[in-house]
Amino acid sequence: MLQIIDRYLIVEVLKTFLAIVFVLVLIVASLLFLRTLEEVNLGAMTGGVVLRFLGLQLVSNVASLLSPAYFIAVLATLSRFARDSELIALTACGIGPRRVYGALLLVGVPIALVTAWFSLVLQPEASTGIAEIRYQQNEQASQIAGLRAGRFYVEDRGHLVVYIGGITKERGLERVLVLDRRETTTSRLVVSETGRHGVEEATGDHLVTLSNGHRFDGNPGEAKFLIGRFDEYQVRIRGSGAERRSIAKRSAAPSRTLLGTGKVEDQAELEHRLSAPIAIFVLAVIAVPLVAISPRQRASGRLLLAFLAYFSFFNLQRLAESWLANGTTPPWLGSLWHQALVLGLVYLVLAPESLWYRRLRERFGGGSRVGAPG
């Protein structure tokens, strides 16, 4: 009988969990797709990498979806059991919260393992792929190769502006305009009818060479201008080197490299990845007491507490990780303390309704005494 009930609870939670994950993935995929199309429309990304970029973004976000999906699935399943008086029937048969926790543990372990795989292994790989795609797209924008004619491209926070009027195979770049304010306070405007592009192998810098043009040095509104004519003028745009190495940022580092480095930032990143699979069990423990057993009990208060616990859990997670990375909290405390804090607060709020609390009150508060005879 208990095995049948366990299977029934596991199947119902798992079906609800898969349905919620499917809906969340569709919502996230739609939002990411719209955001990616906007980048394509603005010229920040080419259409050939949209599907790969979207897939990597989904993989990077899956780990953060599984723990809230499991929390909602447990709440929804147990709430339906309570509404149909099935929880009362289970309690009458001697099946209490301990048995429910056991069934939820059987479901939570494989989900936690899948979440750990996404969080610890696939998410860093996806972050590396995303950074590589963005780097390649930025390189295409900065190296002038493969750009569309008739558009302005801004680099170095607006200190370098490049405009190309046309691109042909015979003449290369045509009607090129460069506004360079990177080195001095004086603006330098360079215009040329033709130009070419190349990459310096030693440094990875991009070299835009202009031919037969004019250079104007000065600031708008001032009468002092230096005007010159040149046969060849070269503009250097910093390329890869350190910029390419920046792809290997902390979020893209393999989890094993974050172990034992002694850096607080690496510890915060590693605990961020571990928080997702651990949250599977913590949220399941929180969800069970948030469900009213009887449909006659008022469930609005518990539902409100469930929402508060959910939002507090993930907001405190970001806060704890930020405090650890900034040195506000000591490294020995870490950032996973927020899970124990939310768990303790939920049980503290629900303590007056628990059986053990009523027994303690009856024992020490005289609640079990019968009224005095009249």
Side-chain angles (χ1 to χ4, degrees):
M1 178 179 176
L2 294 180
Q3 293 181 353
I4 295 176
I5 293 176
D6 290 340
R7 273 199 309 271
Y8 174 63
L9 180 58
I10 290 173
V11 170
E12 292 299 319
V13 171
L14 191 58
K15 288 193 303 184
T16 307
F17 170 75
L18 294 177
I20 294 174
V21 169
F22 179 74
V23 173
L24 291 179
V25 169
L26 283 182
I27 295 175
V28 173
S30 302
L31 296 176
L32 292 175
F33 185 67
L34 292 176
R35 189 183 305 170
T36 305
L37 287 182
E38 183 179 358
E39 294 188 20
V40 174
N41 185 48
L42 294 175
M45 183 175 298
T46 59
V49 298
V50 169
L51 292 180
R52 180 169 177 261
F53 182 78
L54 183 61
L56 292 174
Q57 288 274 31
L58 279 177
V59 172
S60 179
N61 286 275
V62 164
S64 61
L65 298 178
L66 295 181
S67 53
Y70 188 60
F71 176 69
I72 298 173
V74 173
L75 275 178
T77 303
L78 295 182
S79 297
R80 186 181 66 80
F81 285 0
R83 186 178 63 253
D84 297 339
S85 301
E86 295 184 24
L87 287 183
I88 296 179
L90 292 178
T91 305
C93 295
I95 301 175
R98 182 178 301 179
R99 194 69 184 186
V100 175
Y101 281 130
L104 295 179
L105 181 63
L106 294 178
V107 185
V109 168
I111 294 177
L113 292 177
V114 173
T115 305
W117 180 50
F118 272 98
S119 181
L120 297 175
V121 180
L122 296 184
Q123 183 174 330
E125 296 178 357
S127 298
T128 302
I130 292 171
E132 181 68 29
I133 290 177
R134 290 199 177 278
Y135 173 81
Q136 292 174 356
Q137 299 302 311
N138 291 334
E139 286 295 278
Q140 289 179 4
S142 63
Q143 71 184 8
I144 317 302
L147 296 181
R148 285 179 284 178
R151 298 187 59 177
F152 287 91
Y153 294 92
V154 182
E155 299 292 332
D156 287 349
R157 299 181 179 180
H159 290 90
L160 178 65
V161 180
V162 180
Y163 172 82
I164 301 173
I167 303 175
T168 62
K169 294 182 179 179
E170 296 79 11
R171 302 182 60 186
L173 309 181
E174 294 181 343
R175 302 186 303 279
V176 183
L177 180 147
V178 177
L179 178 61
D180 193 351
R181 295 176 294 184
R182 292 178 296 178
E183 297 181 357
T184 62
T185 57
T186 303
S187 299
R188 174 173 296 175
L189 179 64
V190 183
V191 293
S192 174
E193 287 295 323
T194 60
R196 64 182 185 274
H197 166 262
V199 179
E200 191 176 56
E201 296 184 358
T203 61
D205 292 346
H206 303 282
L207 304 177
V208 179
T209 305
L210 310 182
S211 303
N212 301 322
H214 295 82
R215 193 185 80 181
F216 306 87
D217 292 350
N219 295 319
E222 298 181 0
K224 184 180 179 180
F225 267 85
L226 177 63
I227 303 175
R229 180 179 177 85
F230 58 85
D231 294 330
E232 191 172 87
Y233 183 87
Q234 191 174 79
V235 179
R236 178 181 294 269
I237 303 175
R238 290 189 297 271
S240 53
E243 186 177 355
R244 177 171 291 274
R245 289 192 296 269
S246 67
I247 294 177
K249 56 183 180 180
R250 188 164 287 106
S251 62
S255 299
R256 61 179 179 273
T257 63
L258 300 177
L259 291 171
T261 61
K263 297 181 179 179
V264 180
E265 295 82 1
D266 293 342
Q267 179 184 349
E269 176 63 26
L270 183 61
E271 292 185 2
H272 169 72
R273 300 178 187 180
L274 291 173
S275 64
I278 297 176
I280 295 291
F281 303 104
V282 176
L283 291 175
V285 174
I286 294 176
V288 173
L290 290 175
V291 177
I293 297 179
S294 173
R296 296 181 179 180
Q297 295 178 341
R298 296 183 60 183
S300 58
R302 291 175 181 258
L303 184 61
L304 177 61
L305 183 59
F307 279 108
L308 291 177
Y310 174 81
F311 288 109
S312 300
F313 186 90
F314 292 102
N315 288 330
L316 277 177
Q317 176 180 341
R318 300 187 186 94
L319 187 62
E321 292 169 358
S322 176
W323 283 351
L324 178 61
N326 297 333
T328 305
T329 55
W332 61 264
L333 183 60
S335 62
L336 298 178
W337 54 266
H338 73 280
Q339 302 195 10
L341 177 61
V342 175
L343 180 63
L345 289 177
V346 170
Y347 274 82
L348 183 63
V349 172
L350 296 176
E353 302 180 14
S354 62
L355 180 60
W356 64 268
Y357 180 83
R358 290 197 298 267
R359 289 178 177 176
L360 288 177
R361 187 176 58 183
E362 292 173 356
R363 176 174 299 181
F364 297 102
S368 61
R369 291 181 300 177
V370 181

